[in-house]
């Protein structure tokens, strides 16, 4: 790692709590490195990704479009099981789901009733795919599709189910087959039973995060090594195979709309912020025991992944420090 990288990463590395585990992966000028802090943690240790999972779902969508399996303007209703096709699903497209413009609520129907007994530990473990589809008829959109940006876990979860149906395989298998294998992501899966770092909330260990009915919204685990490979592919898709995935890596970072309140762009799931001379493309995530951040700047060739085994929330200080670090790395690198 260069002296300038070490200096710019220092504030982020200082965020690791006492006895906590922190992994930071960087990509600069085509070179990757992973720095680890904490006991018994290395570059291959698995951390829960939370909503960073959604960026993988977006890439699967772009890949499905490149393969001809799906179209961005396909209505959601065509991918839902018979008996679970509410009228509003005719007006919601896959693009609406991937840009948080579907108008759907943040959480699926019946979530609170299922989650409340385990809200601070494993709130979605009892929410199955069958329950999701059985309760879709009770869902009431908060806005007409395409009129507002409303962040929705439900929307991306339904996108994942649509892509799984289009491909003919479950979402966890789809991630491994179409992203994990070609990109060399050997530690990236949805499996809650595999080895992983223990997460903590308010000093207490949390059980592994389980989302059987909503995997595309937040069920993935990954490592520092895998996430640097993931970001490197986004920065330079030229050598990626198959060709559909190489095209998808370009498509996911193309802005689709501008948020009227902030001026930020929304890509396929990814957020894009325009800086002087370059863009920052990023997403954060959180579970009950982990907080994560990934981001990259195509023009400067910089990528950053940050993983910590403490729950600070997707709007907590860790996410902000990680974003500030990405911005500093990109500013330091300048246009590529």
């Amino acid at each position: 790692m260069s002296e300038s990288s070490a200096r710019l990463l220092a504030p982020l590395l200082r965020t690791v709590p006492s006895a906590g585990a922190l992994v930071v992966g960087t990509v600069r000028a085509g070179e990757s490195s992973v720095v680890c802090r904490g006991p018994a943690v290395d570059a291959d240790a698995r951390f829960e990704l939370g909503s960073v999972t959604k960026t993988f779902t977006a890439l699967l969508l772009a890949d499905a479009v490149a393969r001809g399996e799906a179209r961005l303007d396909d209505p959601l209703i065509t991918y839902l099981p018979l008996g679970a096709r509410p009228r509003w699903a005719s007006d919601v497209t896959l693009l609406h789901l991937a840009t948080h413009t579907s108008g759907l609520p943040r959480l699926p129907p019946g979530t609170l009733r299922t989650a409340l007994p385990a809200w601070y530990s494993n709130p979605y473990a009892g929410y199955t795919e069958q329950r999701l589809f059985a309760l879709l008829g009770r869902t009431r959109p908060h806005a007409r599709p395409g009129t507002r940006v409303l962040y929705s876990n439900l929307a991306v979860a339904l996108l994942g189910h649509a892509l799984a149906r289009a491909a003919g395989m479950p979402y966890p298998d789809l991630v491994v087959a179409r992203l994990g294998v070609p990109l060399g992501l050997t530690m990236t899966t949805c499996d809650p039973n595999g080895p992983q770092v223990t997460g903590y909330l308010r000093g207490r260990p949390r059980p592994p995060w389980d989302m059987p009915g909503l995997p595309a919204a937040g069920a993935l685990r990954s490592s520092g090594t895998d996430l640097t490979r993931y970001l490197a592919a986004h920065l330079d898709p030229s050598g990626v195979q198959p060709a559909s995935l190489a095209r998808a890596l370009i498509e996911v970072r193309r802005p689709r709309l501008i948020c009227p309140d902030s001026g930020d762009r929304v890509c396929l799931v990814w957020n894009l912020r325009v800086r002087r001379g370059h863009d920052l493309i990023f997403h954060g995530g959180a579970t009950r025991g982990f907080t994560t951040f990934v981001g990259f700047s195509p023009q400067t060739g910089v990528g950053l992944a940050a993983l910590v085994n403490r729950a600070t929330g997707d709007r907590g200080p860790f996410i902000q420090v990680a974003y500030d670090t990405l911005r500093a790395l990109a500013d330091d690198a300048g246009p590529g």
Side-chain angles (χ1 to χ4, degrees):
M1 180 185 298
S2 69
E3 183 177 338
S4 64
S5 292
R7 172 177 52 82
L8 295 171
L9 288 179
L12 182 56
L13 296 177
R14 287 196 294 267
T15 64
V16 63
S18 176
L22 172 69
V23 170
V24 177
T26 57
V27 182
R28 293 192 77 179
E31 298 294 326
S32 300
S33 66
V34 181
V35 178
C36 306
R37 294 287 186 271
V41 63
D42 59 26
D44 291 325
R46 295 170 78 240
F47 289 67
E48 294 171 359
L49 297 187
S51 286
V52 167
T53 300
K54 294 179 174 68
T55 69
F56 288 77
T57 305
L59 188 54
L60 287 173
L61 170 61
D63 180 68
V65 171
R67 289 170 179 263
E69 285 183 352
R71 294 165 52 98
L72 292 178
D73 60 359
D74 281 348
L76 170 63
I77 198 167
T78 61
Y79 295 96
L80 295 176
L82 293 175
R85 295 183 172 181
R87 185 176 302 174
W88 53 259
S90 297
D91 300 320
V92 173
T93 67
L94 301 188
L95 181 60
H96 289 140
L97 298 174
T99 55
H100 295 294
T101 56
S102 66
L104 294 174
R106 188 178 185 96
L107 294 173
T111 302
L112 291 180
R113 180 179 300 176
T114 304
L116 277 177
W119 188 251
Y120 292 105
S121 58
N122 211 349
Y124 303 107
Y127 203 100
T128 63
E129 178 179 311
Q130 292 74 20
R131 181 175 176 80
L132 172 66
F133 290 137
L135 294 175
L136 270 188
R138 290 173 44 190
T139 299
R140 297 294 178 265
H142 293 172
R144 287 185 296 107
T147 62
R148 292 176 62 190
V149 177
L150 297 171
Y151 188 88
S152 175
N153 291 302
L154 171 59
V156 182
L158 289 172
L159 176 60
H161 287 298
L163 297 173
R165 182 162 185 173
M169 69 179 80
Y171 177 87
D173 296 341
L174 190 61
V175 173
V176 172
R178 296 202 172 166
L179 304 184
V181 172
L183 297 180
L185 311 181
T186 60
M187 307 301 291
T188 303
T189 74
C190 291
D191 184 7
N193 299 312
Q196 68 175 54
V197 177
T198 299
Y200 289 84
L201 173 66
R202 298 173 184 172
R204 296 182 178 181
R206 300 291 88 183
W209 189 250
D210 195 7
M211 302 183 76
L214 314 166
L220 278 176
R221 284 95 167 134
S222 192
S223 67
T225 297
D226 276 13
L227 289 179
T228 55
R229 289 174 180 162
Y230 181 62
L231 292 172
H234 283 79
L235 288 166
D236 182 12
S238 59
V240 172
Q241 292 294 331
S244 62
L245 183 53
R247 293 196 297 272
L249 287 160
I250 296 295
E251 283 300 303
V252 291
R253 69 193 198 194
R254 186 160 66 84
R256 309 289 168 157
L257 58 95
I258 300 176
C259 295
D261 55 340
S262 66
D264 288 353
R265 277 66 169 170
V266 178
C267 306
L268 295 182
V269 168
W270 291 93
N271 306 297
L272 185 151
R273 189 164 295 163
V274 177
R275 297 276 295 168
R276 184 175 299 177
H278 60 268
D279 301 330
L280 298 179
I281 302 173
F282 58 95
H283 208 287
T287 68
R288 289 297 182 266
F290 296 82
T291 308
T292 59
F293 175 89
V294 292
F296 62 101
S297 174
Q299 297 84 357
T300 65
V302 165
L304 174 74
L307 310 165
V308 68
N309 69 334
R310 293 295 187 273
T312 67
D314 56 6
R315 297 184 181 180
F318 181 80
I319 297 289
Q320 184 61 53
V321 175
Y323 170 80
D324 291 343
T325 302
L326 172 65
R327 182 181 60 191
L329 288 167
D331 288 345
D332 183 66

